[in-house]
Amino acid sequence: QVQFVESGGGLVQSGGSLRLSCVATGFEFGRYEMAWYRQVPEKAREMVAIVSIDGAAVYEKSVKGRFKISRDDASNTVYLQMNNLKPEDTAIYYCTADGLHPPIWGQGTQVTVSS
Protein backbone atom coordinates (compact mmCIF):
# COMPACT_ATOMS: atom_id res chain seq x y z
CA GLN A 1 0.00 0.00 0.00
CA VAL A 2 1.41 3.35 -1.07
CA GLN A 3 1.66 5.86 1.76
CA PHE A 4 3.15 9.30 2.31
CA VAL A 5 3.73 10.73 5.78
CA GLU A 6 4.59 14.42 5.85
CA SER A 7 6.01 16.25 8.88
CA GLY A 8 7.89 19.38 9.86
CA GLY A 9 5.25 22.03 9.41
CA GLY A 10 4.42 24.68 11.97
CA LEU A 11 3.98 28.35 12.72
CA VAL A 12 6.86 30.64 11.78
CA GLN A 13 7.35 34.35 11.37
CA SER A 14 7.90 35.95 7.99
CA GLY A 15 11.53 35.47 6.98
CA GLY A 16 11.88 32.27 8.96
CA SER A 17 12.68 28.74 7.84
CA LEU A 18 11.18 25.28 8.04
CA ARG A 19 12.28 21.88 6.79
CA LEU A 20 9.56 19.49 5.69
CA SER A 21 10.07 15.74 5.50
CA CYS A 22 8.07 13.05 3.76
CA VAL A 23 8.57 9.32 4.23
CA ALA A 24 7.18 7.21 1.39
CA THR A 25 6.38 3.51 1.50
CA GLY A 26 4.76 0.86 -0.69
CA PHE A 27 6.54 1.47 -4.02
CA GLU A 28 10.03 1.62 -5.54
CA PHE A 29 10.92 5.11 -4.34
CA GLY A 30 14.13 5.37 -6.36
CA ARG A 31 12.29 4.91 -9.65
CA TYR A 32 9.96 7.91 -9.26
CA GLU A 33 10.27 11.63 -9.43
CA MET A 34 9.09 13.08 -6.12
CA ALA A 35 7.15 16.31 -5.71
CA TRP A 36 5.87 18.70 -3.07
CA TYR A 37 2.51 20.37 -3.55
CA ARG A 38 0.60 22.89 -1.46
CA GLN A 39 -3.02 23.83 -1.13
CA VAL A 40 -4.99 26.66 0.45
CA PRO A 41 -8.76 26.62 0.96
CA GLU A 42 -10.84 27.10 -2.18
CA LYS A 43 -7.83 26.89 -4.47
CA ALA A 44 -6.42 24.05 -6.53
CA ARG A 45 -3.43 22.14 -5.26
CA GLU A 46 -0.27 23.49 -6.89
CA MET A 47 3.13 21.94 -7.43
CA VAL A 48 5.89 23.67 -5.49
CA ALA A 49 8.91 21.60 -6.46
CA ILE A 50 9.83 18.32 -8.09
CA VAL A 51 13.05 16.30 -7.98
CA SER A 52 14.06 13.75 -10.59
CA ILE A 53 15.60 10.35 -9.86
CA ASP A 54 19.05 11.82 -10.46
CA GLY A 55 18.45 14.82 -8.19
CA ALA A 56 17.64 17.52 -10.71
CA ALA A 57 15.01 19.94 -9.37
CA VAL A 58 12.41 22.28 -10.82
CA TYR A 59 10.61 24.94 -8.78
CA GLU A 60 7.44 26.97 -9.00
CA LYS A 61 8.39 30.55 -9.83
CA SER A 62 7.38 32.11 -6.51
CA VAL A 63 9.58 29.78 -4.44
CA LYS A 64 12.63 29.62 -6.67
CA GLY A 65 15.72 30.72 -4.76
CA ARG A 66 13.99 30.25 -1.39
CA PHE A 67 13.02 26.55 -1.34
CA LYS A 68 15.19 23.50 -1.97
CA ILE A 69 13.90 19.99 -2.61
CA SER A 70 16.10 16.97 -2.00
CA ARG A 71 15.74 13.22 -1.68
CA ASP A 72 17.38 10.37 0.21
CA ASP A 73 16.68 7.11 -1.58
CA ALA A 74 18.26 5.07 1.23
CA SER A 75 15.49 6.15 3.59
CA ASN A 76 12.69 6.73 1.05
CA THR A 77 12.48 10.35 2.19
CA VAL A 78 12.00 13.60 0.32
CA TYR A 79 12.70 16.96 1.94
CA LEU A 80 11.70 20.56 1.34
CA GLN A 81 13.93 23.19 2.90
CA MET A 82 12.00 26.46 2.99
CA ASN A 83 13.86 29.70 3.69
CA ASN A 84 12.77 33.33 3.77
CA LEU A 85 9.16 32.26 4.23
CA LYS A 86 6.39 34.67 3.34
CA PRO A 87 2.75 34.84 4.49
CA GLU A 88 1.66 33.71 1.01
CA ASP A 89 3.50 30.42 1.61
CA THR A 90 0.85 29.54 4.20
CA ALA A 91 -0.77 26.29 3.08
CA ILE A 92 -1.02 22.57 3.70
CA TYR A 93 1.98 20.91 2.08
CA TYR A 94 1.79 17.43 0.57
CA CYS A 95 4.31 15.14 -1.08
CA THR A 96 3.67 12.51 -3.71
CA ALA A 97 5.40 10.42 -6.37
CA ASP A 98 4.92 11.80 -9.87
CA GLY A 99 3.14 9.38 -12.19
CA LEU A 100 1.05 7.40 -9.73
CA HIS A 101 -2.37 6.51 -11.13
CA PRO A 102 -4.54 7.44 -9.38
CA PRO A 103 -2.60 10.11 -7.49
CA ILE A 104 -2.11 9.28 -3.82
CA TRP A 105 -1.77 11.86 -1.06
CA GLY A 106 -0.81 11.82 2.58
CA GLN A 107 -2.42 13.87 5.32
CA GLY A 108 -0.18 16.84 4.61
CA THR A 109 1.56 19.17 7.04
CA GLN A 110 0.34 22.69 7.84
CA VAL A 111 2.70 25.61 7.31
CA THR A 112 1.59 28.97 8.67
CA VAL A 113 3.68 32.09 8.15
CA SER A 114 2.77 35.15 10.19
CA SER A 115 3.54 38.65 9.00
Side-chain angles (χ1 to χ4, degrees):
Q1 183 180 1
V2 177
Q3 286 189 321
F4 302 98
V5 180
E6 301 94 341
S7 62
L11 173 63
V12 64
Q13 289 189 331
S14 182
S17 298
L18 286 172
R19 188 192 195 205
L20 307 184
S21 300
C22 171
V23 178
T25 57
F27 65 101
E28 289 187 70
F29 182 87
R31 297 182 66 178
Y32 284 81
E33 294 186 331
M34 295 297 298
W36 283 97
Y37 285 73
R38 65 186 179 188
Q39 187 170 26
V40 298
E42 301 181 354
K43 287 192 175 181
R45 198 167 295 187
E46 67 170 357
M47 184 185 290
V48 174
I50 187 166
V51 60
S52 69
I53 59 175
D54 62 0
V58 177
Y59 298 93
E60 191 273 329
K61 188 170 68 171
S62 71
V63 309
K64 198 171 183 180
R66 300 188 296 121
F67 291 11
K68 181 177 181 181
I69 188 171
S70 61
R71 63 189 297 158
D72 178 3
D73 290 359
S75 62
N76 288 7
T77 304
V78 60
Y79 301 98
L80 187 68
Q81 177 66 44
M82 306 187 296
N83 299 324
N84 190 21
L85 282 160
K86 303 177 180 182
E88 52 264 41
D89 296 318
T90 295
I92 299 175
Y93 284 72
Y94 303 86
C95 78
T96 193
D98 190 54
L100 292 176
H101 296 288
I104 296 173
W105 305 97
Q107 82 288 348
T109 186
Q110 175 72 48
V111 171
T112 304
V113 185
S114 63
S115 57

